Amino acid sequence: KNEVEQSPQNLTAQEGEFITINCSYSVGISALHWLQQHPGGGIVSLFMLSSGKKKHGRLIATINIQEKHSSLHITASHPRDSAVYICAVRYTTSGTYKYIFGTGTRLKVLA
Amino acid sequence: DTGVSQDPRHKITKRGQNVTFRCDPISEHNRLYWYRQTLGQGPEFLTYFQNEAQLEKSRLLSDRFSAERPKGSFSTLEIQRTEQGDSAMYLCASSSDRVNEKLFFGSGTQLSVL
């Protein structure tokens, strides 16, 4: 079992739909990142969360530390949201930060 | 500063050749990470620098791989005697020591070993 699991692995939605991507993890963490990766490799950090909820435009990220679970929501989805969304957890060991990445959720939004 | 830069973007090489990649992190970032990503997978940790010190190296990294960050600024990742299994996207990321600092990624170097 991977230490960071995402669901679904693949998701196709129609433009305008509300989208939810889930991330569950099994290690104790100090923070969780949601990342967006477009074809060609570039990765952009969307959110870093250690508790509660954050909102940026049409994106909302929530985290429940007790349940070791986070969700990324996209409201009013658009074809330009098509990308791979990766959950990454940060934990502290021996005074340094380490990250474990999920395998990503491939989102395709159809016009 | 426009972010983390990686060079080259693409590298095609023949099996057995040596390759070197460069990463220029965001200037004030003291933490630098190298990751490898293959198709359909999330990034896998390779190695980590704090300033010029290489503090951790993954067991994934065979002795054909070496990384340096000589002045605590840019970093290089060298792969000697490349194998077809080394074909992947090599990603560099940097961050500062601040607790709430995000991780910033470069665009990656796509390596193809023929």
Side-chain angles (χ1 to χ4, degrees), chain B residues 50-81:
Chain B
Q50 183 148 342
N51 300 311
E52 65 275 10
Q54 186 175 20
L55 296 187
E56 188 163 353
K57 193 173 170 180
S58 166
R59 285 188 294 267
L60 292 174
L61 227 58
S62 75
D63 56 6
R64 296 184 297 105
F65 287 72
S66 61
E68 293 183 340
R69 194 183 183 195
K71 297 180 181 178
S73 57
F74 74 92
S75 176
T76 57
L77 177 69
E78 181 183 15
I79 309 173
Q80 295 182 324
R81 305 181 304 282

PDB file of all heavy atoms in Angstrom, chain B residues 50-81:
ATOM      1  N   GLN B  50      20.771  20.839   1.550  1.00  0.00           N
ATOM      2  CA  GLN B  50      20.521  22.051   2.329  1.00  0.00           C
ATOM      3  C   GLN B  50      21.803  22.872   2.194  1.00  0.00           C
ATOM      4  O   GLN B  50      22.861  22.463   2.663  1.00  0.00           O
ATOM      5  CB  GLN B  50      20.227  21.747   3.786  1.00  0.00           C
ATOM      6  CG  GLN B  50      19.906  22.985   4.576  1.00  0.00           C
ATOM      7  CD  GLN B  50      18.916  22.742   5.696  1.00  0.00           C
ATOM      8  OE1 GLN B  50      18.202  21.754   5.714  1.00  0.00           O
ATOM      9  NE2 GLN B  50      18.890  23.655   6.632  1.00  0.00           N
ATOM     10  N   ASN B  51      21.667  24.012   1.544  1.00  0.00           N
ATOM     11  CA  ASN B  51      22.833  24.791   1.117  1.00  0.00           C
ATOM     12  C   ASN B  51      23.719  23.878   0.259  1.00  0.00           C
ATOM     13  O   ASN B  51      23.220  23.254  -0.667  1.00  0.00           O
ATOM     14  CB  ASN B  51      23.534  25.385   2.327  1.00  0.00           C
ATOM     15  CG  ASN B  51      22.604  26.302   3.097  1.00  0.00           C
ATOM     16  OD1 ASN B  51      21.950  27.170   2.524  1.00  0.00           O
ATOM     17  ND2 ASN B  51      22.515  26.095   4.402  1.00  0.00           N
ATOM     18  N   GLU B  52      24.997  23.778   0.575  1.00  0.00           N
ATOM     19  CA  GLU B  52      25.859  22.954  -0.280  1.00  0.00           C
ATOM     20  C   GLU B  52      25.952  21.512   0.193  1.00  0.00           C
ATOM     21  O   GLU B  52      26.550  20.664  -0.470  1.00  0.00           O
ATOM     22  CB  GLU B  52      27.261  23.570  -0.369  1.00  0.00           C
ATOM     23  CG  GLU B  52      28.035  23.589   0.931  1.00  0.00           C
ATOM     24  CD  GLU B  52      27.702  24.792   1.796  1.00  0.00           C
ATOM     25  OE1 GLU B  52      26.729  25.521   1.493  1.00  0.00           O
ATOM     26  OE2 GLU B  52      28.413  24.995   2.800  1.00  0.00           O
ATOM     27  N   ALA B  53      25.342  21.219   1.319  1.00  0.00           N
ATOM     28  CA  ALA B  53      25.459  19.874   1.894  1.00  0.00           C
ATOM     29  C   ALA B  53      24.386  18.935   1.348  1.00  0.00           C
ATOM     30  O   ALA B  53      23.195  19.233   1.416  1.00  0.00           O
ATOM     31  CB  ALA B  53      25.347  19.965   3.410  1.00  0.00           C
ATOM     32  N   GLN B  54      24.838  17.797   0.847  1.00  0.00           N
ATOM     33  CA  GLN B  54      23.905  16.769   0.391  1.00  0.00           C
ATOM     34  C   GLN B  54      23.517  15.944   1.607  1.00  0.00           C
ATOM     35  O   GLN B  54      24.316  15.134   2.093  1.00  0.00           O
ATOM     36  CB  GLN B  54      24.559  15.893  -0.682  1.00  0.00           C
ATOM     37  CG  GLN B  54      23.606  14.898  -1.312  1.00  0.00           C
ATOM     38  CD  GLN B  54      24.241  14.116  -2.458  1.00  0.00           C
ATOM     39  OE1 GLN B  54      25.460  14.029  -2.555  1.00  0.00           O
ATOM     40  NE2 GLN B  54      23.435  13.563  -3.344  1.00  0.00           N
ATOM     41  N   LEU B  55      22.310  16.137   2.100  1.00  0.00           N
ATOM     42  CA  LEU B  55      21.915  15.538   3.368  1.00  0.00           C
ATOM     43  C   LEU B  55      21.286  14.162   3.225  1.00  0.00           C
ATOM     44  O   LEU B  55      21.283  13.386   4.172  1.00  0.00           O
ATOM     45  CB  LEU B  55      20.949  16.460   4.114  1.00  0.00           C
ATOM     46  CG  LEU B  55      21.523  17.805   4.549  1.00  0.00           C
ATOM     47  CD1 LEU B  55      20.518  18.553   5.419  1.00  0.00           C
ATOM     48  CD2 LEU B  55      22.840  17.624   5.287  1.00  0.00           C
ATOM     49  N   GLU B  56      20.757  13.902   2.064  1.00  0.00           N
ATOM     50  CA  GLU B  56      20.124  12.599   1.904  1.00  0.00           C
ATOM     51  C   GLU B  56      20.160  12.165   0.452  1.00  0.00           C
ATOM     52  O   GLU B  56      20.061  12.991  -0.455  1.00  0.00           O
ATOM     53  CB  GLU B  56      18.681  12.620   2.397  1.00  0.00           C
ATOM     54  CG  GLU B  56      18.051  11.240   2.437  1.00  0.00           C
ATOM     55  CD  GLU B  56      16.801  11.195   3.276  1.00  0.00           C
ATOM     56  OE1 GLU B  56      16.484  12.197   3.945  1.00  0.00           O
ATOM     57  OE2 GLU B  56      16.137  10.144   3.250  1.00  0.00           O
ATOM     58  N   LYS B  57      20.299  10.866   0.283  1.00  0.00           N
ATOM     59  CA  LYS B  57      20.345  10.288  -1.052  1.00  0.00           C
ATOM     60  C   LYS B  57      19.484   9.040  -1.027  1.00  0.00           C
ATOM     61  O   LYS B  57      19.642   8.184  -0.159  1.00  0.00           O
ATOM     62  CB  LYS B  57      21.789   9.947  -1.373  1.00  0.00           C
ATOM     63  CG  LYS B  57      22.096   9.616  -2.797  1.00  0.00           C
ATOM     64  CD  LYS B  57      23.622   9.481  -2.972  1.00  0.00           C
ATOM     65  CE  LYS B  57      23.944   8.916  -4.326  1.00  0.00           C
ATOM     66  NZ  LYS B  57      25.395   8.761  -4.540  1.00  0.00           N
ATOM     67  N   SER B  58      18.576   8.914  -1.968  1.00  0.00           N
ATOM     68  CA  SER B  58      17.664   7.784  -1.999  1.00  0.00           C
ATOM     69  C   SER B  58      18.394   6.493  -2.364  1.00  0.00           C
ATOM     70  O   SER B  58      19.392   6.509  -3.101  1.00  0.00           O
ATOM     71  CB  SER B  58      16.565   8.045  -3.028  1.00  0.00           C
ATOM     72  OG  SER B  58      15.845   6.878  -3.326  1.00  0.00           O
ATOM     73  N   ARG B  59      17.843   5.408  -1.866  1.00  0.00           N
ATOM     74  CA  ARG B  59      18.385   4.091  -2.267  1.00  0.00           C
ATOM     75  C   ARG B  59      18.161   3.839  -3.749  1.00  0.00           C
ATOM     76  O   ARG B  59      18.783   2.975  -4.346  1.00  0.00           O
ATOM     77  CB  ARG B  59      17.728   2.985  -1.439  1.00  0.00           C
ATOM     78  CG  ARG B  59      18.217   2.906  -0.018  1.00  0.00           C
ATOM     79  CD  ARG B  59      17.657   1.669   0.659  1.00  0.00           C
ATOM     80  NE  ARG B  59      16.221   1.747   0.805  1.00  0.00           N
ATOM     81  CZ  ARG B  59      15.609   2.206   1.888  1.00  0.00           C
ATOM     82  NH1 ARG B  59      16.322   2.635   2.913  1.00  0.00           N
ATOM     83  NH2 ARG B  59      14.297   2.240   1.958  1.00  0.00           N
ATOM     84  N   LEU B  60      17.235   4.619  -4.355  1.00  0.00           N
ATOM     85  CA  LEU B  60      16.990   4.481  -5.799  1.00  0.00           C
ATOM     86  C   LEU B  60      18.215   4.920  -6.589  1.00  0.00           C
ATOM     87  O   LEU B  60      18.388   4.553  -7.747  1.00  0.00           O
ATOM     88  CB  LEU B  60      15.806   5.356  -6.222  1.00  0.00           C
ATOM     89  CG  LEU B  60      14.424   4.985  -5.730  1.00  0.00           C
ATOM     90  CD1 LEU B  60      13.436   6.069  -6.135  1.00  0.00           C
ATOM     91  CD2 LEU B  60      13.996   3.643  -6.280  1.00  0.00           C
ATOM     92  N   LEU B  61      19.036   5.737  -5.976  1.00  0.00           N
ATOM     93  CA  LEU B  61      20.158   6.342  -6.674  1.00  0.00           C
ATOM     94  C   LEU B  61      21.355   5.405  -6.623  1.00  0.00           C
ATOM     95  O   LEU B  61      21.994   5.250  -5.581  1.00  0.00           O
ATOM     96  CB  LEU B  61      20.506   7.668  -5.992  1.00  0.00           C
ATOM     97  CG  LEU B  61      20.728   8.879  -6.880  1.00  0.00           C
ATOM     98  CD1 LEU B  61      19.520   9.159  -7.724  1.00  0.00           C
ATOM     99  CD2 LEU B  61      21.062  10.090  -6.033  1.00  0.00           C
ATOM    100  N   SER B  62      21.635   4.788  -7.782  1.00  0.00           N
ATOM    101  CA  SER B  62      22.795   3.898  -7.821  1.00  0.00           C
ATOM    102  C   SER B  62      24.071   4.726  -7.847  1.00  0.00           C
ATOM    103  O   SER B  62      24.041   5.950  -7.946  1.00  0.00           O
ATOM    104  CB  SER B  62      22.719   3.015  -9.071  1.00  0.00           C
ATOM    105  OG  SER B  62      23.063   3.773 -10.216  1.00  0.00           O
ATOM    106  N   ASP B  63      25.219   4.020  -7.798  1.00  0.00           N
ATOM    107  CA  ASP B  63      26.484   4.758  -7.786  1.00  0.00           C
ATOM    108  C   ASP B  63      26.795   5.390  -9.134  1.00  0.00           C
ATOM    109  O   ASP B  63      27.789   6.103  -9.274  1.00  0.00           O
ATOM    110  CB  ASP B  63      27.634   3.850  -7.318  1.00  0.00           C
ATOM    111  CG  ASP B  63      27.758   2.602  -8.154  1.00  0.00           C
ATOM    112  OD1 ASP B  63      27.036   2.490  -9.172  1.00  0.00           O
ATOM    113  OD2 ASP B  63      28.551   1.719  -7.791  1.00  0.00           O
ATOM    114  N   ARG B  64      25.939   5.166 -10.132  1.00  0.00           N
ATOM    115  CA  ARG B  64      26.133   5.861 -11.413  1.00  0.00           C
ATOM    116  C   ARG B  64      25.610   7.306 -11.348  1.00  0.00           C
ATOM    117  O   ARG B  64      25.888   8.096 -12.240  1.00  0.00           O
ATOM    118  CB  ARG B  64      25.400   5.110 -12.524  1.00  0.00           C
ATOM    119  CG  ARG B  64      25.926   3.714 -12.791  1.00  0.00           C
ATOM    120  CD  ARG B  64      25.208   3.079 -13.978  1.00  0.00           C
ATOM    121  NE  ARG B  64      23.785   2.883 -13.748  1.00  0.00           N
ATOM    122  CZ  ARG B  64      22.817   3.641 -14.289  1.00  0.00           C
ATOM    123  NH1 ARG B  64      23.131   4.632 -15.103  1.00  0.00           N
ATOM    124  NH2 ARG B  64      21.559   3.383 -14.040  1.00  0.00           N
ATOM    125  N   PHE B  65      24.860   7.585 -10.312  1.00  0.00           N
ATOM    126  CA  PHE B  65      24.269   8.917 -10.153  1.00  0.00           C
ATOM    127  C   PHE B  65      25.079   9.709  -9.135  1.00  0.00           C
ATOM    128  O   PHE B  65      25.424   9.200  -8.067  1.00  0.00           O
ATOM    129  CB  PHE B  65      22.826   8.807  -9.630  1.00  0.00           C
ATOM    130  CG  PHE B  65      21.831   8.308 -10.629  1.00  0.00           C
ATOM    131  CD1 PHE B  65      21.828   6.983 -11.033  1.00  0.00           C
ATOM    132  CD2 PHE B  65      20.873   9.165 -11.154  1.00  0.00           C
ATOM    133  CE1 PHE B  65      20.892   6.523 -11.953  1.00  0.00           C
ATOM    134  CE2 PHE B  65      19.937   8.710 -12.062  1.00  0.00           C
ATOM    135  CZ  PHE B  65      19.945   7.383 -12.463  1.00  0.00           C
ATOM    136  N   SER B  66      25.341  10.962  -9.467  1.00  0.00           N
ATOM    137  CA  SER B  66      25.965  11.836  -8.486  1.00  0.00           C
ATOM    138  C   SER B  66      25.394  13.236  -8.637  1.00  0.00           C
ATOM    139  O   SER B  66      25.058  13.662  -9.736  1.00  0.00           O
ATOM    140  CB  SER B  66      27.484  11.858  -8.651  1.00  0.00           C
ATOM    141  OG  SER B  66      27.832  12.353  -9.929  1.00  0.00           O
ATOM    142  N   ALA B  67      25.258  13.906  -7.528  1.00  0.00           N
ATOM    143  CA  ALA B  67      24.725  15.260  -7.543  1.00  0.00           C
ATOM    144  C   ALA B  67      25.627  16.143  -6.710  1.00  0.00           C
ATOM    145  O   ALA B  67      26.222  15.701  -5.723  1.00  0.00           O
ATOM    146  CB  ALA B  67      23.302  15.291  -6.998  1.00  0.00           C
ATOM    147  N   GLU B  68      25.707  17.399  -7.142  1.00  0.00           N
ATOM    148  CA  GLU B  68      26.518  18.375  -6.421  1.00  0.00           C
ATOM    149  C   GLU B  68      25.782  19.697  -6.336  1.00  0.00           C
ATOM    150  O   GLU B  68      24.954  20.013  -7.185  1.00  0.00           O
ATOM    151  CB  GLU B  68      27.844  18.626  -7.162  1.00  0.00           C
ATOM    152  CG  GLU B  68      28.786  17.458  -7.209  1.00  0.00           C
ATOM    153  CD  GLU B  68      30.101  17.827  -7.897  1.00  0.00           C
ATOM    154  OE1 GLU B  68      30.123  18.820  -8.643  1.00  0.00           O
ATOM    155  OE2 GLU B  68      31.088  17.115  -7.666  1.00  0.00           O
ATOM    156  N   ARG B  69      26.149  20.454  -5.345  1.00  0.00           N
ATOM    157  CA  ARG B  69      25.665  21.834  -5.231  1.00  0.00           C
ATOM    158  C   ARG B  69      26.817  22.621  -4.614  1.00  0.00           C
ATOM    159  O   ARG B  69      26.795  22.988  -3.453  1.00  0.00           O
ATOM    160  CB  ARG B  69      24.407  21.889  -4.362  1.00  0.00           C
ATOM    161  CG  ARG B  69      23.676  23.219  -4.479  1.00  0.00           C
ATOM    162  CD  ARG B  69      22.482  23.276  -3.547  1.00  0.00           C
ATOM    163  NE  ARG B  69      21.763  24.527  -3.728  1.00  0.00           N
ATOM    164  CZ  ARG B  69      20.856  24.996  -2.869  1.00  0.00           C
ATOM    165  NH1 ARG B  69      20.565  24.303  -1.771  1.00  0.00           N
ATOM    166  NH2 ARG B  69      20.250  26.126  -3.109  1.00  0.00           N
ATOM    167  N   PRO B  70      27.838  22.870  -5.413  1.00  0.00           N
ATOM    168  CA  PRO B  70      29.135  23.296  -4.866  1.00  0.00           C
ATOM    169  C   PRO B  70      29.117  24.608  -4.083  1.00  0.00           C
ATOM    170  O   PRO B  70      29.847  24.755  -3.127  1.00  0.00           O
ATOM    171  CB  PRO B  70      30.018  23.408  -6.117  1.00  0.00           C
ATOM    172  CG  PRO B  70      29.080  23.472  -7.272  1.00  0.00           C
ATOM    173  CD  PRO B  70      27.852  22.748  -6.857  1.00  0.00           C
ATOM    174  N   LYS B  71      28.332  25.560  -4.471  1.00  0.00           N
ATOM    175  CA  LYS B  71      28.337  26.842  -3.768  1.00  0.00           C
ATOM    176  C   LYS B  71      26.995  27.110  -3.097  1.00  0.00           C
ATOM    177  O   LYS B  71      26.718  28.244  -2.713  1.00  0.00           O
ATOM    178  CB  LYS B  71      28.681  27.978  -4.743  1.00  0.00           C
ATOM    179  CG  LYS B  71      30.070  27.856  -5.336  1.00  0.00           C
ATOM    180  CD  LYS B  71      30.363  28.994  -6.292  1.00  0.00           C
ATOM    181  CE  LYS B  71      31.745  28.827  -6.897  1.00  0.00           C
ATOM    182  NZ  LYS B  71      32.062  29.889  -7.893  1.00  0.00           N
ATOM    183  N   GLY B  72      26.202  26.093  -2.971  1.00  0.00           N
ATOM    184  CA  GLY B  72      24.898  26.272  -2.348  1.00  0.00           C
ATOM    185  C   GLY B  72      23.910  27.009  -3.224  1.00  0.00           C
ATOM    186  O   GLY B  72      22.862  27.447  -2.738  1.00  0.00           O
ATOM    187  N   SER B  73      24.226  27.148  -4.506  1.00  0.00           N
ATOM    188  CA  SER B  73      23.274  27.817  -5.412  1.00  0.00           C
ATOM    189  C   SER B  73      22.775  26.803  -6.426  1.00  0.00           C
ATOM    190  O   SER B  73      21.895  26.018  -6.117  1.00  0.00           O
ATOM    191  CB  SER B  73      23.916  29.030  -6.075  1.00  0.00           C
ATOM    192  OG  SER B  73      25.088  28.644  -6.772  1.00  0.00           O
ATOM    193  N   PHE B  74      23.352  26.765  -7.636  1.00  0.00           N
ATOM    194  CA  PHE B  74      22.884  25.805  -8.624  1.00  0.00           C
ATOM    195  C   PHE B  74      23.340  24.401  -8.253  1.00  0.00           C
ATOM    196  O   PHE B  74      24.278  24.215  -7.453  1.00  0.00           O
ATOM    197  CB  PHE B  74      23.375  26.187 -10.021  1.00  0.00           C
ATOM    198  CG  PHE B  74      24.841  25.921 -10.249  1.00  0.00           C
ATOM    199  CD1 PHE B  74      25.279  24.722 -10.774  1.00  0.00           C
ATOM    200  CD2 PHE B  74      25.789  26.884  -9.935  1.00  0.00           C
ATOM    201  CE1 PHE B  74      26.632  24.477 -10.975  1.00  0.00           C
ATOM    202  CE2 PHE B  74      27.144  26.652 -10.124  1.00  0.00           C
ATOM    203  CZ  PHE B  74      27.562  25.435 -10.644  1.00  0.00           C
ATOM    204  N   SER B  75      22.684  23.423  -8.855  1.00  0.00           N
ATOM    205  CA  SER B  75      23.024  22.022  -8.609  1.00  0.00           C
ATOM    206  C   SER B  75      23.139  21.294  -9.945  1.00  0.00           C
ATOM    207  O   SER B  75      22.502  21.685 -10.934  1.00  0.00           O
ATOM    208  CB  SER B  75      21.954  21.348  -7.754  1.00  0.00           C
ATOM    209  OG  SER B  75      22.226  19.968  -7.574  1.00  0.00           O
ATOM    210  N   THR B  76      23.965  20.271  -9.968  1.00  0.00           N
ATOM    211  CA  THR B  76      24.057  19.396 -11.139  1.00  0.00           C
ATOM    212  C   THR B  76      23.773  17.963 -10.722  1.00  0.00           C
ATOM    213  O   THR B  76      24.096  17.546  -9.606  1.00  0.00           O
ATOM    214  CB  THR B  76      25.447  19.475 -11.789  1.00  0.00           C
ATOM    215  OG1 THR B  76      26.440  19.129 -10.817  1.00  0.00           O
ATOM    216  CG2 THR B  76      25.720  20.858 -12.348  1.00  0.00           C
ATOM    217  N   LEU B  77      23.153  17.249 -11.641  1.00  0.00           N
ATOM    218  CA  LEU B  77      22.902  15.818 -11.473  1.00  0.00           C
ATOM    219  C   LEU B  77      23.540  15.114 -12.654  1.00  0.00           C
ATOM    220  O   LEU B  77      23.237  15.422 -13.804  1.00  0.00           O
ATOM    221  CB  LEU B  77      21.397  15.527 -11.440  1.00  0.00           C
ATOM    222  CG  LEU B  77      20.982  14.061 -11.337  1.00  0.00           C
ATOM    223  CD1 LEU B  77      21.337  13.495  -9.960  1.00  0.00           C
ATOM    224  CD2 LEU B  77      19.472  13.904 -11.570  1.00  0.00           C
ATOM    225  N   GLU B  78      24.476  14.224 -12.365  1.00  0.00           N
ATOM    226  CA  GLU B  78      25.166  13.507 -13.432  1.00  0.00           C
ATOM    227  C   GLU B  78      24.792  12.039 -13.377  1.00  0.00           C
ATOM    228  O   GLU B  78      24.731  11.441 -12.294  1.00  0.00           O
ATOM    229  CB  GLU B  78      26.689  13.652 -13.301  1.00  0.00           C
ATOM    230  CG  GLU B  78      27.442  12.926 -14.425  1.00  0.00           C
ATOM    231  CD  GLU B  78      28.957  12.994 -14.289  1.00  0.00           C
ATOM    232  OE1 GLU B  78      29.455  13.353 -13.204  1.00  0.00           O
ATOM    233  OE2 GLU B  78      29.648  12.661 -15.279  1.00  0.00           O
ATOM    234  N   ILE B  79      24.541  11.482 -14.544  1.00  0.00           N
ATOM    235  CA  ILE B  79      24.312  10.041 -14.659  1.00  0.00           C
ATOM    236  C   ILE B  79      25.412   9.484 -15.564  1.00  0.00           C
ATOM    237  O   ILE B  79      25.571   9.903 -16.709  1.00  0.00           O
ATOM    238  CB  ILE B  79      22.940   9.700 -15.275  1.00  0.00           C
ATOM    239  CG1 ILE B  79      21.816  10.455 -14.549  1.00  0.00           C
ATOM    240  CG2 ILE B  79      22.698   8.198 -15.204  1.00  0.00           C
ATOM    241  CD1 ILE B  79      20.450  10.288 -15.206  1.00  0.00           C
ATOM    242  N   GLN B  80      26.170   8.558 -15.024  1.00  0.00           N
ATOM    243  CA  GLN B  80      27.234   7.931 -15.808  1.00  0.00           C
ATOM    244  C   GLN B  80      26.734   6.612 -16.390  1.00  0.00           C
ATOM    245  O   GLN B  80      25.887   5.939 -15.819  1.00  0.00           O
ATOM    246  CB  GLN B  80      28.446   7.678 -14.905  1.00  0.00           C
ATOM    247  CG  GLN B  80      29.077   8.966 -14.388  1.00  0.00           C
ATOM    248  CD  GLN B  80      30.309   8.695 -13.531  1.00  0.00           C
ATOM    249  OE1 GLN B  80      30.358   7.727 -12.786  1.00  0.00           O
ATOM    250  NE2 GLN B  80      31.304   9.555 -13.650  1.00  0.00           N
ATOM    251  N   ARG B  81      27.268   6.278 -17.550  1.00  0.00           N
ATOM    252  CA  ARG B  81      26.953   4.982 -18.188  1.00  0.00           C
ATOM    253  C   ARG B  81      25.440   4.761 -18.216  1.00  0.00           C
ATOM    254  O   ARG B  81      24.920   3.790 -17.674  1.00  0.00           O
ATOM    255  CB  ARG B  81      27.661   3.837 -17.467  1.00  0.00           C
ATOM    256  CG  ARG B  81      29.179   4.021 -17.350  1.00  0.00           C
ATOM    257  CD  ARG B  81      29.858   2.862 -16.643  1.00  0.00           C
ATOM    258  NE  ARG B  81      29.324   2.598 -15.311  1.00  0.00           N
ATOM    259  CZ  ARG B  81      29.617   3.294 -14.222  1.00  0.00           C
ATOM    260  NH1 ARG B  81      30.434   4.338 -14.291  1.00  0.00           N
ATOM    261  NH2 ARG B  81      29.088   2.968 -13.040  1.00  0.00           N
TER     262      ARG B  81
END
